[in-house]
Amino acid sequence: MTQTLLQMHAIAPDNYVAFTFFVGTMAMMAACVFFFFEMSNLDKKWRTSILVSGLITFIAAVHYYYMRGYHLETGESPIFFRYVDWILTVPLMCVEFYLITKKAGAKIGLLWKLIFASVVMLVTGYIGEAIYGQETQSWFWGLLSGIAYFYIVYLVWFGEVAKLANNAGAAVKQAVRTLGWFVLVGWAIYPVGYIAGTAGGFFGVPMFQGLSMDIVYNIGDAINKIGFGLVIYALAQSDKSTTQNA
Ligand SMILES: *C/C=C(C)/C=C/C=C(C)/C=C/C1=C(C)CCCC1(C)C
């Protein structure tokens, strides 16, 4: 009994998928502790943003812990927990955009647009993976998801978010620019995982075949969830020093 339990939970040295779930859990926990503790060192007006960064990494840490266990016990991809994590954390990242552009006059309608687009992106992605993952038509769901994704990219780079950021002062403008790169490049890691892990490939053409979907997603999450939070942390820091110097 003890023997089987141990075997079930030990990570074999060549199980890279389980290893990245394990490291992901630790990284998310560490980032979460960092954001929560730093909150009190920052200017009041940035505290909610840092709190949200802490919540994003906290939610991810809990899901990574579960996903690690699920993967070790079943040997399968934890599709359901993955998408529960994303459906909670991606809208929170939209809240970050809203919070930092709010000072330049962002309306609540902008937040709903971002959240709606991210829910469409994730629900279609989930259908494509969970229901049609083994069938070629999964490319169609990936395409729908991709359209919603590009709408978010559009809002951040050329639409309302970009316009508001241009009127919000140099620090916010710079931060929104950097977050825009995360959305354009960092988030583009996810469709690569999807193409690698579903039968539909890239519009029906098999691509990225040797890659593990979970490893790609885990790398994407580490970059985007922790990186996003650090950009906001840097913004809050730079803003603090300008007020002190003034
Ligand atoms: C913390 C989690 C984040 C930032 C997750 C982001 C997920 C995406 C940007 C997923 C996008 C997808 C596509 C654009 C097409 C294929 C299906 C998805 C859902 C993997």
Side-chain angles (χ1 to χ4, degrees):
M1 181 63 191
T2 337
Q3 179 68 11
T4 40
L5 275 180
L6 276 175
Q7 276 172 346
M8 253 166 61
H9 291 100
I11 298 176
D14 61 347
N15 188 347
Y16 301 112
V17 176
F19 177 74
T20 56
F21 276 125
F22 177 76
V23 174
T25 310
M26 292 303 138
M28 296 296 176
M29 280 170 65
C32 166
V33 170
F34 175 79
F35 292 134
F36 283 152
F37 274 87
E38 281 297 319
M39 259 175 79
S40 54
N41 292 331
L42 298 168
D43 200 273
K44 260 211 175 86
K45 69 176 184 198
W46 296 114
R47 284 191 196 155
T48 318
S49 301
I50 297 296
L51 173 68
V52 174
S53 300
L55 289 176
I56 290 171
T57 44
F58 177 79
I59 294 169
V62 175
H63 284 83
Y64 265 74
Y65 180 75
Y66 270 99
M67 290 197 285
R68 187 197 111 278
Y70 181 96
H71 175 75
L72 280 173
E73 283 173 31
T74 65
E76 282 171 20
S77 209
I79 300 176
F80 180 73
F81 287 122
R82 172 83 69 192
Y83 276 87
V84 174
D85 174 349
W86 287 355
I87 208 97
L88 297 170
T89 52
V90 176
L92 282 173
M93 293 170 116
C94 300
V95 170
E96 300 274 37
F97 275 116
Y98 169 69
L99 285 176
I100 64 177
T101 47
K102 201 173 150 197
K103 290 153 197 96
K107 303 255 160 46
I108 195 81
L110 171 63
L111 176 60
W112 287 119
K113 264 185 229 168
L114 287 166
I115 291 182
F116 179 74
S118 60
V119 169
V120 170
M121 175 179 88
L122 295 173
V123 169
T124 49
Y126 180 73
I127 295 173
E129 270 187 52
I131 304 175
Y132 300 107
Q134 311 300 320
E135 295 170 40
T136 34
Q137 59 166 295
S138 60
W139 70 259
F140 172 72
W141 296 95
L143 174 67
L144 290 183
S145 175
I147 292 170
Y149 164 66
F150 277 114
Y151 178 62
I152 300 175
V153 170
Y154 165 79
L155 281 177
V156 172
W157 277 88
F158 311 105
E160 270 175 82
V161 176
K163 284 179 196 140
L164 287 162
N166 283 341
N167 301 325
V172 168
K173 193 173 161 186
Q174 179 56 48
V176 169
R177 223 340 106 94
T178 312
L179 293 180
W181 280 110
F182 272 93
V183 173
L184 184 64
V185 181
W187 289 21
I189 294 171
Y190 297 98
V192 172
Y194 182 90
I195 290 167
T198 52
F202 184 73
F203 298 106
V205 182
M207 262 174 93
F208 310 123
Q209 293 303 289
L211 288 177
S212 148
M213 177 190 248
D214 280 305
I215 293 182
V216 175
Y217 284 168
N218 291 355
I219 292 172
D221 278 355
I223 293 175
N224 290 299
K225 293 190 166 57
I226 300 173
F228 224 77
L230 288 175
V231 172
I232 291 167
Y233 175 73
L235 167 64
Q237 281 288 357
S238 71
D239 200 51
K240 184 169 84 176
S241 38
T242 44
T243 16
Q244 275 166 358
N245 293 341

